[in-house]
Amino acid sequence: MLNLLNRYFINYFIWWYLVQSKIILGRVFGAWMFLMNLLNVPPMLKNIFKPLYQDYTRMGRIIAFPIRLTWVLVGLTVELLLLPIFLIVFIIYLILPVIPIYGFASFLLNA
């Protein structure tokens, strides 16, 4: 019986929290980085003082800074608004295996 408990129950939690959580955390971080690259924030921040589309005229230089600054601010705002959602998804993933155990324990205590 103890071997069966160790084989299926304990190994499941080891797999869920140690092996699989690294994979899920990598996917959540990958989705966040994909969104960062989709919004093009790092290149816009890197080139914030360079003219858009290599337009080196005075008007091109004047227009480029507000456009890039707005782009960066909107992109960072979207990122910061979605970061808690990504973290909540990961926390829900970590809580999922505990829910049936809690339900079973509360059933046994109330029976």
Side-chain angles (χ1 to χ4, degrees):
M1 179 69 181
L2 189 58
N3 187 22
L4 185 68
L5 179 69
N6 182 30
R7 187 173 191 186
Y8 291 108
F9 191 72
I10 296 173
N11 284 342
Y12 171 75
F13 285 103
I14 290 172
W15 171 79
W16 186 274
Y17 287 112
L18 293 180
V19 176
Q20 201 63 18
S21 65
K22 290 179 187 176
I23 295 170
I24 296 298
L25 187 61
R27 287 183 181 173
V28 167
F29 182 72
W32 190 70
M33 288 306 294
F34 174 76
L35 186 62
M36 179 74 85
N37 289 330
L38 184 70
L39 293 173
N40 216 10
V41 172
M44 286 293 179
L45 194 58
K46 179 182 171 187
N47 299 315
I48 197 161
F49 294 112
K50 294 183 180 176
L52 284 171
Y53 308 115
Q54 307 304 319
D55 183 11
Y56 287 98
T57 63
R58 177 182 281 178
M59 189 54 71
R61 291 179 186 268
I62 292 172
I63 291 175
F65 180 73
I67 289 175
R68 288 185 193 243
L69 184 66
T70 305
W71 192 295
V72 168
L73 291 176
V74 169
L76 289 176
T77 304
V78 169
E79 286 288 326
L80 291 176
L81 289 175
L82 291 177
L83 183 63
I85 295 172
F86 287 136
L87 291 176
I88 288 171
V89 166
F90 184 68
I91 291 171
I92 288 172
Y93 171 80
L94 292 176
I95 293 173
L96 278 176
V98 180
I99 294 172
I101 295 171
Y102 175 76
F104 184 69
S106 66
F107 173 74
L108 289 179
L109 292 175
N110 290 334

